[in-house]
Every structure is written in C-alpha cells, then in structure tokens.
Amino acid sequence: MQFAAHLRSWSPEALRHLLTARPDLLPAADLGFETLARRASSIPSIGRCLIGVDLAMIVVAEALVVSPPATAAEIDELLGANDPVAVLDALERLAAVGLVVVEDTVATPLPGLIDLLDRPLGLGPSFIEEAELIAPELLDELARTLEVAGAPTTGATARAVARRLRTAEGVSRLLDGAPPATAEVLDALTAERSAAVDLPIGHRYRALDDGDPVAWLLRRGLLVPYDHELAEPVRELLVGSHADGLAPTAMLRPIEVLSVTGLPLDAVTAAAADRASRTLEAVETLLNLIDDGGIAVRKTGGIGVRELKRLGKVLELEPLDVGRLLELLDEAVLLNEIGGALVTTDRADVWRRLGRDRRWLTLVRAWLAGERFLSVPLSTPEGGKQLAALDGLQPVADAFGSRQEVLRRAATVADGDALDPEQFTEAVVWHRPNVWGTGDPEPEILVGWTVGEAELLGLVAHAAPTPILRALAAGDDATVESLAAGALGADQDQFLLQSDLTAMALGPLDPAVAAPLGELADRRPDAATPVFAFTEASIRRGFDRGWTAETIAVFLERHALSGVPQPLDYLIGDVARRYGSIRVHGASAVIVTADEALAVEVASTRRAARLGLRLVAPTVLVGPVAPHQLLDELRAEGFFPVLDGEVARLDGSGPGPGPHGADAAGDRTDAALDLPPDWTGPVLSTAALAGEVADVVDALRDDLAHDEQAAAAAPTAADGANGDQHRLHLLWNRPAVITHLCDGELRQAHGVLVAVGDSLTLLNDAGLESLPLDAVVAVDDPSR
C-alpha cells in the first residue's frame, strides 16, 4: 500500500497525534495527503522525528531495518529480548509517528528510515549489498554449500544465501567448507561486532589465497573492507552467530521516574519562592554592575573564572550560578558585549519596569526557550582549563529538547516528593536518548546541569518539583502566571526613612519606586534587605538629574511610612541652598557666582592656584581648564557647582524634572518602547499548536470526504474519467499520476499529460504512453 493511501485510512485522532509529534509536517499536511506522505517519508523529517523517540523505539526500528518486513515476534527473536509485548508496543508507537507501516501484524519500515539507519544495531552492510561484487562462481559455491541452489536469478540467489547466513545452522554449514582457522576469525569478529581483523596488504590488486581465512571470507563477500585497513563481517553473519539475539539486555520497557519522600509541599514552595527572590535580586545587581562598568571581560571575550569568583562573593552565590545568570541574561537579551565590554540592552530597561512576578517569568521563559545550556561555565574542562561564561562554547546536544524532557519527567512525581538523581537521569535519558548529543559531556552531566538551573530559578527546591514547574510542563500559561504572582508577591511601594539618613525597604521595591530612590540615595550592597543611604553626593546627583527640593519632598512624603526625618530634611535643604551657587560656563573655563565672598574663597584654595584660576571681577573667575574638569575639581573641594546651560537653574527655569519624567507629584512615566509594557518573553503554550493541528486535520478529512463522494458519484472507470474531465484539462502539460485499470488490476502511470481525447497521452522516461480514457480511475497532481 502506498503511504499516502495508508495515511488516508487514519482516524482524525491518529492524524492529530502524528502532526503534534511531528510539527514539521504541518505545512505539508495543509497541501493534502500526497504532500504529507512525501514529507513524512523524507530523510530530514524522519531524522527530526528520531530525535524525540524513546529507546525502545530506536532499538526496535533498527532491528526492523536489519530484517524487513517482520512481525513483533520475529523482531523479539532477533533481539533476544524475550518480551514480544514490549516490542509490539514500540512498533505501535513507531507506526503512530509514521516511521513504519503495520498491516496484518507485519511491520515494514519506510525507505527513508532504512537509508537513515545505515548501521542498525551496530551491524555492517548486508550480504545482498555486496553480492554484485562477488564472482558468479563463488556465489554459486556458497549457494551449494548452504543448500539453497536453484534460485532463478543472481539476486534471488543472493537473497537466499543471506537468509541462510542469518541462522546458526547456516553459519555452521559455511564453516564446513572454509579454511581451518575461519571459525576462530569469525568468533573474534562477531564477539565485539567490530572490525577487528586487518585487511591483507594490496588485497584489491592481487589474487587472494583461499587458504587464508580472511582472504577466503573476503572473496566471498562475507567480510567487507572497513576504514581502509580493517574488515568487518556482513550483518547476516553477525545475526547467525548470536544465537541469544543481538540485544538481549535492551531496555524495551519504559523507565518511569521514581521519587523519594521529601518535604511537605508548603515547605517546597516556600523554599522555591525564596530562591526565586534571591535570584531576581542577583540579576538586578548584575545589571546595575554592568551599567556601572563593574564586570571585567577577558581580552578573548567572555567572563573568566577569576571574575566569576569575585562576583560570587558580591552576590553571595557560587561562581557556577553567577555564570549561569550571565548566560541567562544573554539568552534573555538583557545584556550584550560590545567593544570588549558588557552593556545592558533596551530590553533591560523594559524588564526593570515590569512587576516582580513578570521579571521572574521573563527569566524563566528565556531559559525554557533557550538553545544552550547555562551551566557550561566552570563545568567542562577544555585543555585542562575551566571554561568562561559568555564565550559561546556549547556541548553538541539539544538544550531546548533536553530541558523540555527534564521538566516533563520531573512533573510526573507527586507533590512534595523529591527526585533520586541517578534514577531520574536513567528515566529521562530512556525517553529521549537522541537528544543528548554525542555523549560529551555525558547525559548524566547534562541532566544534572538542567536540574541545577531549575533550582536556581526556583522551579525545583530540595530536589522536589514545584507546582509552577508542573504548569510549565503542561503548557498551562494561565496557571503559571497565577502561581508566579502568588509565590513572589507584590512589589512594595513604601519604605521606612530613618534618622541616620537611610531608607529601608520592607520587601522588594516596585521598580517605579526603586529607580527614583536609587537616584537620590546609594544602595548598600552588603545589606540583607534593600537599604539606601542619603549623602550630600547622592542628593547632588539627584539635582544633576533634574530633581528639585520640592519634587524630592513630594516623592519622599508619598512613599515614606512615617514621614521625612528632620536630619534628611535639613540635608536636602542644605544641598538645595548650595546647589548652583557656582556656575561653570561652557564657552571657556569661567566661574560665575552671585556671592563675592564665595568667589574669594574659591580663588584662595590650593586647587585654584594649581589650576591657574584668577579673579577677573568680584564674582567671576577664569582659568585654562576644561569646564568638565573644573567641575570635578571644585566638587572635590567640597563646593556644589553646576555646568551652566545643562541643568535647572535655582529659579526653576531649565530643562525640567529629569530623564525619567518625574512630575511635581513625584510620579514616573515610561517612555514608549517597541516591546509591550507587560512583555515577559516567549510563551510556550501548546494551545496554538493544538489549534493549528486541529484545523489541518479537519481540512484533510474534508478532502477525504470530498474524494469519497466523488468516487460514489462515479462508480465505473469510464464515469470516473468523465467526472475528471475538468481536472484533466487543468493538468494538461503538467506532471500527473494516472490510476487506471489494466487486465483487471489497478495500476499507476506517471508522466507529463500532453494530450487529452479518447485516450490520455503521457510523456515519461519510456517515451509516449497512451491510456484508454474509459480505463482511467483517478487523476492526481503530485505537486499538490
């Protein structure tokens, strides 16, 4: 049966399962069954599918390729698994994703699967593939030895010999006519299933001696050259030499995740929420350090081990976790490396303005959608040295696929139960063995990395998955957002002002409050809870950014729990009184002040003499110094100058309240940005895919129903041809597939339709082919 016709017989549920498991088929399915069948049979699509299948499916598929077609019992015997039920289950899963066709209990692999699995179960080429290179007389000799003589053609003889070699009896008969040491050579080769024998030097250019076991096997196509210098046996000999099967210990039954008793669910969720909060604060600190140029980048790029350790002390994190967070910020496009330095992106400005739960969700979703492992820093030795963060090196493995599988398996344990690391790894790898790359690093390491990353984000705590992880694994974004809001709580918009000129937050501050407070006060990095200190320098910084004494007072009164302490009120007033009393003009190094005594005080300082400042009028000084340098020098002396023309004047005129747009009431408004204000990164819900799959399946079933109605309306071949007259003319001069009756059997003809009349004329490789119109049953366009 053609694969397209086979797919037409599938139920809507089976088609939905196929397209969900293999979403790359959706565009092809939208064009009809023929296109879907071609795409599903292609090697690239089959290769993508094999990445997501389980271990039993891989083993059974390879066994089927060794001996196609076969029943479940025959595959079980070939493997030596003694578990035909598990083999049958694996065959059904393979059939459900369109890799094999099962009819009357017999399974047949798709040709693309055979081409892709070119060394199934580690076996070499088939004897049938090598038979055409064997001298006819030697092939006949093998046939007589194995008692399969009398086949009508050379191909039939080769197939008969191959079937005989697959049995222990056939191997025994073969050795009866072989040189004495041949059995020992075969035993050595078949024991390890590897090319373990040297080829005779110059074997391609001289006659081989039948007295030598290796030469004898080579001449008869029973050994084939491998890797230029070695030889391996054909796969039939290996099958026949393993009476106990080729994979008797293969794990064909699913390994389910086993859990151990953990903490109560409330304790798990509380611990996870605390870790998520600490990670969020660490990310905010990293972004601030990047803005201040406080992270050193190596000359060769990336963040080195020494810098990761230094940052770890600042953030109270392990260096590995610091590296993970830097990789995550890069994955979330919150940072970039430009000109040998780290910088934050415009998206980081959006992120800072999000609510607490949405900032965390952005990080989680960036991790879920990421295509690389975050744990490479400090994890994998390379040339004896530890790797750095942000250096671009990654294992050859599917980070996205492995992460999805880890979440999917972790979500299967009961609430509060913890994962057993070793058993969990076995279960995860069994379900998707091909997603872990080439084995460097080992899957055990990659699974451990992924669980560690989930713990850092607060999705796992005390080795137990959280309800948020379960919702993520299920693609339930509404539940994810609800749980995130509950776990992380709301941001605080108030703080406590103290008489020691500090402000203490009682919890995480709302970004709209934390940003302006950070302009007016310095956050203490060593404090367990957010603490900000007001100083002359910090208040002056606020004035530089457009604040006034009035807008500062309004902001503090609105967000302070117990009013503004008198010492802080005096400090703000003192800075406001002194701020701008000296002005540095940009035209030249000119100092202007309204206070003659202050001008004399400036002129009498030691720095004034060193800078060459001199009084040219009672309130004016000049000197050969750049304005910005002069500004810094005067501030170092304890004065409060401003660069005239760039900041607000004391009388209230000037450029306005500052870069963040603080109005007189102390409110902040965000500038318009390309990203939506509630942006939290990519959403991984499966709802969109499910809807698309349902639409495509409905369209396929509608096409099928239309075809069935057309067939019912045209029961005879002639009537069918007449009903397709309009299609025939549409297909004129185009490739067509004509299904027609010939000697009572349905056959197909392929070619370009070049004439339509009492007969159809096709142009194909054989030339012109004419078909009687009354014999035509169906006409299809293969490009549909």
Side-chain angles (χ1 to χ4, degrees):
M1 177 185 290
Q2 285 191 336
F3 193 46
H6 177 67
L7 290 176
R8 283 189 174 94
S9 67
W10 284 26
S11 67
E13 293 75 15
L15 288 171
R16 280 195 289 270
H17 176 81
L18 172 69
L19 297 178
T20 303
R22 301 174 65 177
D24 65 297
L25 300 181
L26 276 169
D30 205 27
L31 299 175
F33 281 104
E34 294 289 343
T35 308
L36 171 61
R38 283 195 298 273
R39 177 62 179 171
S41 304
S42 67
I43 289 179
S45 181
I46 291 175
R48 288 191 185 93
C49 181
L50 285 176
I51 293 175
V53 302
D54 59 56
L55 180 61
M57 294 169 71
I58 293 171
V59 172
V60 171
E62 294 195 7
L64 181 59
V65 169
V66 170
S67 178
T71 64
E74 291 168 340
I75 293 174
D76 181 62
E77 182 180 359
L78 177 68
L79 293 172
N82 196 27
D83 194 349
V85 174
V87 172
L88 182 59
D89 289 344
L91 278 177
E92 290 176 349
R93 294 197 296 276
L94 287 167
V97 294
L99 296 182
V100 305
V101 175
V102 179
E103 292 179 320
D104 298 328
T105 73
V106 177
T108 304
L110 266 62
L113 183 65
I114 296 175
D115 294 339
L116 197 60
L117 302 177
D118 60 337
R119 295 186 66 85
L121 299 178
L123 306 182
S126 169
F127 176 80
I128 298 173
E129 299 172 18
E130 303 297 317
E132 62 182 22
L133 303 177
I134 305 171
E137 63 273 13
L138 294 177
L139 182 60
D140 291 339
E141 175 192 318
L142 281 175
R144 288 192 298 272
T145 301
L146 297 173
E147 298 182 347
V148 292
T153 63
T154 300
T157 300
R159 289 191 293 272
V161 169
R163 285 194 298 271
R164 192 66 164 157
L165 289 173
R166 290 166 54 89
T167 65
E169 182 184 356
V171 174
S172 177
R173 286 189 175 277
L174 174 71
L175 294 176
D176 288 343
T182 306
E184 288 78 4
V185 171
L186 279 182
D187 287 344
L189 285 168
T190 58
E192 300 295 334
R193 291 194 214 170
S194 61
V197 62
D198 293 332
L199 283 167
I201 296 175
H203 73 279
R204 292 183 181 276
Y205 311 106
R206 65 181 178 85
L208 295 172
D209 182 8
D210 262 0
D212 177 70
V214 173
W216 189 89
L217 292 168
L218 279 169
R219 287 191 68 199
R220 288 155 181 80
L222 303 173
L223 282 185
V224 292
Y226 174 76
D227 197 23
H228 303 295
E229 297 179 356
L230 301 174
E232 64 179 338
V234 293
R235 67 179 57 165
E236 288 80 6
L237 273 179
L238 286 166
V239 173
S241 300
H242 285 77
D244 58 345
L246 293 172
T249 61
M251 297 290 297
L252 299 183
R253 293 196 174 256
I255 300 177
E256 302 302 339
V257 177
L258 302 178
S259 58
V260 296
T261 302
L263 297 176
L265 181 60
D266 290 346
V268 171
T269 54
D274 178 66
R275 186 58 188 266
S277 297
R278 289 187 286 119
T279 294
L280 202 54
E281 292 173 5
V283 166
E284 293 166 351
T285 302
L286 280 175
L287 291 176
N288 292 334
L289 288 172
I290 293 171
D291 284 337
D292 296 337
I295 298 181
V297 180
R298 300 185 307 176
K299 292 182 179 179
T300 56
I303 312 301
V305 176
R306 182 176 299 177
E307 182 69 358
L308 291 176
K309 291 180 178 178
R310 183 188 71 81
L311 293 172
K313 293 179 180 178
V314 174
L315 301 173
E316 298 183 353
L317 291 175
E318 292 296 323
L320 172 58
D321 285 337
V322 177
R324 285 168 167 166
L325 290 182
L326 287 170
E327 294 277 349
L328 179 58
L329 293 182
D330 189 39
E331 198 73 58
V333 199
L334 300 182
L335 64 77
N336 199 358
E337 185 176 339
I338 299 177
L342 292 183
V343 297
T344 57
T345 64
D346 292 341
R347 190 174 291 187
D349 294 334
V350 179
W351 184 84
R352 284 177 166 126
R353 288 165 173 75
L354 296 173
R356 182 173 175 75
D357 56 331
R358 293 197 167 275
R359 294 200 301 278
W360 179 75
L361 277 177
T362 301
L363 300 178
V364 170
R365 286 171 173 160
W367 176 68
L368 286 173
E371 296 180 354
R372 61 186 179 184
F373 292 92
L374 306 182
S375 302
V376 173
L378 300 177
S379 297
T380 306
E382 184 187 76
K385 297 181 180 180
Q386 291 173 314
L387 299 181
L390 302 177
D391 61 0
L393 296 177
Q394 284 290 313
V396 182
D398 179 6
F400 175 82
S402 61
R403 193 175 297 121
Q404 301 302 311
E405 190 59 34
V406 166
L407 261 65
R408 191 178 297 115
R409 295 300 142 204
T412 62
V413 305
D415 286 340
D417 282 359
L419 305 172
D420 179 291
E422 184 175 347
Q423 196 277 335
F424 180 67
T425 298
E426 291 180 0
V428 169
V429 174
W430 188 94
H431 284 87
R432 292 191 74 181
N434 283 334
V435 82
W436 305 100
T438 57
D440 184 21
E442 295 293 329
E444 292 80 4
I445 294 176
L446 299 178
V447 172
W449 285 0
T450 306
V451 173
E453 293 163 12
E455 289 177 343
L456 178 64
L457 288 168
L459 300 174
V460 173
H462 301 295
T466 63
I468 296 181
L469 181 146
R470 301 178 201 283
L472 285 169
D476 186 354
D477 287 298
T479 300
V480 168
E481 296 194 3
S482 174
L483 291 174
L488 291 168
D491 290 325
Q492 302 294 318
D493 63 355
Q494 291 188 308
F495 44 79
L496 179 65
L497 291 176
Q498 303 180 101
S499 58
D500 62 350
L501 299 179
T502 61
M504 183 174 69
L506 304 181
L509 282 175
D510 188 301
V513 176
L517 183 60
E519 292 180 355
L520 300 171
D522 298 317
R523 178 167 178 172
R524 291 180 177 174
D526 56 342
T529 58
V531 175
F532 296 80
F534 293 92
T535 64
E536 280 190 349
S538 69
I539 297 296
R540 186 194 66 210
R541 181 179 66 226
F543 276 81
D544 285 344
R545 296 184 179 183
W547 290 86
T548 66
E550 292 77 13
T551 57
I552 292 175
V554 170
F555 171 75
L556 294 180
E557 288 172 1
R558 170 170 293 181
H559 299 290
L561 284 170
S562 56
V564 181
Q566 193 175 58
L568 178 57
D569 193 34
Y570 285 164
L571 175 64
I572 295 170
D574 182 57
V575 173
R577 178 180 57 81
R578 299 163 62 193
Y579 186 79
S581 58
I582 297 176
R583 297 189 175 278
V584 177
H585 290 264
S588 60
V590 180
I591 300 176
V592 179
T593 177
D595 188 342
E596 294 184 15
L598 183 59
V600 173
E601 182 183 353
V602 171
S604 62
T605 62
R606 290 184 178 180
R607 288 179 186 264
R610 180 168 59 81
L611 295 173
L613 297 179
R614 67 185 189 279
L615 278 167
V616 295
T619 59
V620 180
L621 296 89
V622 296
V625 183
H628 286 282
Q629 181 185 354
L630 183 56
L631 199 72
D632 293 338
E633 295 285 354
L634 291 174
R635 286 177 172 174
E637 282 292 325
F639 298 107
F640 289 80
V642 295
L643 194 61
D644 202 27
E646 293 191 8
V647 296
R649 297 178 180 273
L650 292 180
D651 60 4
S653 62
H660 293 287
D663 59 21
D667 289 336
R668 298 276 163 160
T669 57
D670 296 331
L673 293 162
D674 293 337
L675 296 170
D678 60 348
W679 172 81
T680 55
V683 176
L684 299 181
S685 173
T686 59
L689 176 63
E692 187 178 359
V693 167
D695 291 343
V696 171
V697 170
D698 288 344
L700 286 172
R701 301 304 296 179
D702 289 344
D703 287 348
L704 184 59
H706 181 272
D707 291 344
E708 290 174 347
Q709 290 174 1
T716 65
D719 289 342
N722 293 331
D724 273 345
Q725 279 294 325
H726 67 288
R727 293 187 62 196
L728 294 177
H729 290 288
L730 290 174
L731 289 174
W732 182 76
N733 210 28
R734 293 188 60 184
V737 178
I738 311 298
T739 304
H740 61 101
L741 286 169
C742 182
D743 297 330
E745 295 182 357
L746 282 177
R747 297 185 181 179
Q748 285 191 330
H750 301 257
V752 176
L753 189 62
V754 295
V756 178
D758 293 336
S759 63
L760 303 183
T761 304
L762 297 174
L763 176 63
N764 50 36
D765 294 339
L768 293 174
E769 181 179 2
S770 294
L771 305 172
L773 185 60
D774 59 2
V776 174
V777 175
V779 180
D780 290 304
D781 179 359
S783 64
R784 175 188 167 197

